[in-house]
C-alpha cells in the first residue's frame, strides 16, 4: 500500500495517512475484504511512529471505511449500495451520538449547533487544533479532566490510561502537542516517553463543593463509595479519612460487580464520580437515582485540575497555538 506524505503540510500526518487510504478505497485500488498492513508494518514502511499510524486507523474505523478485528488484522469494509443507507446511516448515527454526548455535558440544542458550526468553519479554514493527550491511572479522573479541558477553545482532547502508555509508549507520539499528567505520574511518564513529548504536570484535587458535601455528610450510618476503578475509590477514601469520616464505616464497590443494588440501598450515604452514568449500566444508574429520590445522601466527587494548573495549561496551549500560526 503506497502512502505519499506531504512534508510541510498543515494537515496532520495521521490525517494524511487516513486520506490516502480513503482515496485508494474510493478509487477501487483497495477492495472490500482487502487486508491492510499492520500498524507496525506501516510504521516501518513510512518511518513514522506506531502511534501515528494507529491514530489514522482509528479515524478510518470511525468513518466506517475499515474494520479492525482482534487477532485477525485490519480489513477494508464492504461498500453499501443503498443511497439511503451505508455512509449516510453511519453519518446519522455519528451525529446522534455527538448530540447525546452534548446533552450529557449539559449543552442545549442551540449551543450544540453553535459549536458544530464553529468546528466546520475551522476545518474549512484549515485551522489546526491544539491536541492534548491526558494521562492518568484511572478512567474517572481522566474523564473529568477531559470534560474540564474540552471547554478550552480550539483543542482536541485524547485520553490514555497510564498503564497502557507504560506498556506501549508509542501510543503517544508526534501527533500530540501537549501531554498532561499529574505530579504523581510525571516522572514515570517522562521516563517512558523520553523527550518525544512536551509534558505538563498538573495538580488534581476535590472541588470545594465536594469537600463541603463530605464534611456535611450524616455522621451515622454506612458510607458507600461506588466507582469504576479501585484507584479512584482509594482517592475518595483518602478524602473521607482527611475529613474525619471513620474508615470503619466506609465500604467500596465497583460498578458491574454483583450486589450493586443492595449496596446502593444499604448505604445512607453514597459517593460517586460526577459523571457516573458513563461507567455504570442503565439499571445501576436508575438504582442510584432512586436512592436520591428516597432521601439518601448522594455526593458527586468532583476531582478537578486546580486553578493554578489550569492557568499554566492555558498558557502552554497559547504558546503552541502561536507556534502553529508561525509555521
Amino acid at each position: 500500500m503506497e502512502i505519499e506524505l506531504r512534508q510541510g503540510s498543515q494537515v496532520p500526518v495521521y490525517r494524511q495517512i487516513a486520506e490516502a487510504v480513503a482515496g485508494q478505497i474510493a478509487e477501487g485500488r483497495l477492495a472490500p475484504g482487502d487486508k491492510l498492513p499492520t500498524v507496525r508494518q506501516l510504521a516501518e514502511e513510512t518511518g513514522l511512529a506506531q502511534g501515528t499510524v494507529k491514530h489514522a486507523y482509528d479515524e478510518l474505523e470511525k468513518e466506517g471505511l475499515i474494520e479492525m478485528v482482534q487477532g485477525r488484522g485490519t480489513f477494508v469494509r464492504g461498500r453499501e449500495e443503498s443511497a439511503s443507507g451505508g455512509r449516510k446511516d453511519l453519518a446519522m448515527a455519528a451525529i446522534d451520538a455527538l448530540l447525546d454526548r452534548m446533552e450529557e455535558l449539559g449543552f442545549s440544542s442551540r449551543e450544540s449547533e453553535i459549536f458544530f458550526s464553529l468546528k466546520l468553519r475551522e476545518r474549512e479554514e484549515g485551522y489546526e487544533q491544539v491536541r492534548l493527550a491526558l494521562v492518568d491511572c484511572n478512567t474517572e479522573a481522566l474523564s473529568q479532566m477531559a470534560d474540564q479541558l474540552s471547554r478550552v477553545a480550539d483543542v482536541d482532547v485524547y485520553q490514555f490510561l497510564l498503564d497502557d502508555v507504560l506498556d506501549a509508549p508509542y501510543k503517544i507520539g508526534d501527533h500530540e502537542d501537549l501531554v498532561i499528567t499529574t505530579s504523581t505520574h510525571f516522572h514515570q511518564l517522562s521516563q517512558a516517553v523520553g523527550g518525544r513529548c512536551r509534558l505538563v504536570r498538573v495538580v488534581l484535587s476535590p472541588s470545594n463543593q465536594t469537600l463541603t458535601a463530605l464534611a456535611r455528610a450524616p455522621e451515622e450510618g454506612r458510607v458507600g463509595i461506588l466507582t469504576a476503578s479501585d484507584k479512584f475509590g482509594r482517592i475518595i477514601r483518602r478524602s473521607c479519612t482527611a475529613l474525619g469520616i471513620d474508615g470503619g464505616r466506609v465500604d467500596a464497590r465497583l460498578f458491574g460487580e454483583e450486589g450493586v443494588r443492595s449496596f446502593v440501598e444499604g448505604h445512607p450515604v453514597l459517593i460517586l464520580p460526577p459523571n457516573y452514568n458513563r461507567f455504570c449500566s442503565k439499571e445501576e444508574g436508575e438504582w442510584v437515582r432512586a436512592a436520591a429520590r428516597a432521601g439518601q445522601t448522594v455526593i458527586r466527587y468532583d476531582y478537578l485540575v486546580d486553578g493554578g494548573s489550569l492557568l499554566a495549561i492555558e498558557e502552554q496551549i497559547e504558546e503552541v497555538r502561536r507556534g502553529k500560526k508561525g509555521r
Side-chain angles (χ1 to χ4, degrees):
M1 185 171 64
E2 297 181 2
I3 302 290
E4 183 177 344
L5 300 176
R6 303 182 297 279
Q7 299 299 323
S9 172
Q10 291 188 345
V11 179
V13 175
Y14 81 89
R15 193 64 226 169
Q16 291 187 45
I17 297 173
E19 290 174 356
V21 174
Q24 292 183 42
I25 293 173
E27 294 167 6
R29 286 189 284 163
L30 287 173
D34 281 355
K35 187 174 183 179
L36 300 184
T38 65
V39 168
R40 177 175 294 180
Q41 288 170 342
L42 188 54
E44 291 175 352
E45 291 174 10
T46 58
L48 298 172
Q50 293 187 39
T52 302
V53 177
K54 178 64 165 56
H55 195 180
Y57 275 13
D58 287 342
E59 291 294 307
L60 288 164
E61 188 171 44
K62 288 178 185 176
E63 294 170 11
L65 296 176
I66 67 172
E67 181 178 13
M68 291 186 281
V69 182
Q70 184 70 30
R72 292 184 54 207
T74 303
F75 302 87
V76 177
R77 294 190 63 172
R79 295 178 181 175
E80 299 287 344
E81 300 297 333
S82 170
S84 62
R87 294 178 65 204
K88 178 181 176 182
D89 288 342
L90 289 170
M92 296 304 288
I95 292 171
D96 282 338
L98 170 63
L99 292 175
D100 289 343
R101 176 74 173 123
M102 295 296 284
E103 287 179 4
E104 289 176 3
L105 294 174
F107 293 110
S108 67
S109 298
R110 177 58 181 160
E111 288 172 327
S112 297
E113 181 183 356
I114 291 171
F115 290 144
F116 194 75
S117 297
L118 285 173
K119 293 297 289 185
L120 284 176
R121 191 178 310 146
E122 288 171 2
R123 294 203 173 200
E124 289 169 357
E125 294 173 354
Y127 188 84
E128 191 172 353
Q129 299 283 87
V130 176
R131 296 177 294 276
L132 308 181
L134 311 182
V135 183
D136 200 34
C137 64
N138 65 84
T139 56
E140 295 96 329
L142 273 178
S143 180
Q144 293 188 66
M145 287 171 64
D147 286 348
Q148 192 176 7
L149 295 177
S150 292
R151 297 187 179 98
V152 179
D154 306 323
V155 296
D156 284 332
V157 178
Y158 304 91
Q159 302 176 45
F160 299 87
L161 283 171
L162 176 66
D163 286 344
D164 291 342
V165 176
L166 296 180
D167 289 341
Y170 63 81
K171 289 188 175 183
I172 293 182
D174 55 6
H175 50 277
E176 281 86 25
D177 297 305
L178 296 173
V179 179
I180 298 170
T181 191
T182 63
S183 298
T184 305
H185 305 309
F186 183 86
H187 181 67
Q188 194 176 18
L189 186 61
S190 179
Q191 288 185 319
V193 301
R196 295 185 295 111
C197 305
R198 184 173 177 178
L199 292 179
V200 181
R201 72 178 80 198
V202 299
V203 174
L204 299 181
S205 58
S207 68
N208 289 333
Q209 293 90 336
T210 293
L211 292 176
T212 299
L214 289 173
R216 292 177 176 174
E219 297 182 0
E220 302 296 331
R222 308 297 298 176
V223 175
I225 297 173
L226 195 54
T227 59
S229 69
D230 287 322
K231 291 178 180 178
F232 196 68
R234 288 196 291 271
I235 290 171
I236 297 177
R237 189 182 285 273
R238 285 197 295 270
S239 288
C240 291
T241 301
L243 289 168
I245 299 175
D246 182 7
R249 56 186 280 246
V250 178
D251 305 311
R253 185 66 57 89
L254 299 180
F255 287 117
E257 291 184 339
E258 291 185 9
V260 169
R261 182 171 188 173
S262 59
F263 182 87
V264 169
E265 294 173 348
H267 288 80
V269 179
L270 292 170
I271 310 174
L272 311 95
N275 46 13
Y276 67 88
N277 279 325
R278 300 177 193 174
F279 308 110
C280 68
S281 67
K282 182 177 179 180
E283 291 78 11
E284 289 171 332
E286 182 53 42
W287 296 335
V288 171
R289 289 186 288 274
R293 290 194 297 269
Q296 292 172 237
T297 300
V298 177
I299 298 173
R300 301 192 181 206
Y301 190 92
D302 288 307
Y303 196 55
L304 305 175
V305 178
D306 73 1
S309 296
L310 195 57
L311 285 174
I313 292 172
E314 290 176 344
E315 289 174 359
Q316 297 261 16
I317 289 172
E318 187 56 35
E319 184 178 336
V320 171
R321 188 172 291 128
R322 287 197 298 268
K324 287 176 177 285
K325 289 180 179 178
R327 285 207 298 258

